[in-house]
Amino acid sequence: MRTLAAAGTAATVIVRWPAVIAPDWAADLRHRETRWLQDQGVQVRYSWAPLAQQEKRRG
């Protein structure tokens, strides 16, 4: 994903839950990777309904 993001060929990443980005025990890595993707202009979205609903409330 980093390669696609750095090349500017990915606009959105859709994952089911945050552990796909980094394991639950490494939340700091997940936040770092999510922030890095966002800095590259990539949106991080979730397909699991409860997380998707949280995004709608925040956005």
Side-chain angles (χ1 to χ4, degrees):
M1 192 69 243
R2 277 182 160 250
T3 301
L4 295 172
T9 57
T12 305
V13 172
I14 302 171
V15 296
R16 185 148 175 84
W17 39 69
V20 172
I21 297 171
D24 287 334
W25 57 265
D28 56 323
L29 294 176
R30 180 172 47 247
H31 297 303
R32 184 191 74 192
E33 292 302 310
T34 299
R35 195 170 27 257
W36 186 88
L37 288 166
Q38 291 170 337
D39 289 346
Q40 305 307 306
V42 177
Q43 295 181 6
V44 177
R45 298 286 181 236
Y46 298 100
S47 63
W48 189 50
L51 289 174
Q53 290 300 319
Q54 286 179 3
E55 285 181 329
K56 287 181 183 177
R57 281 185 245 140
R58 281 185 285 187

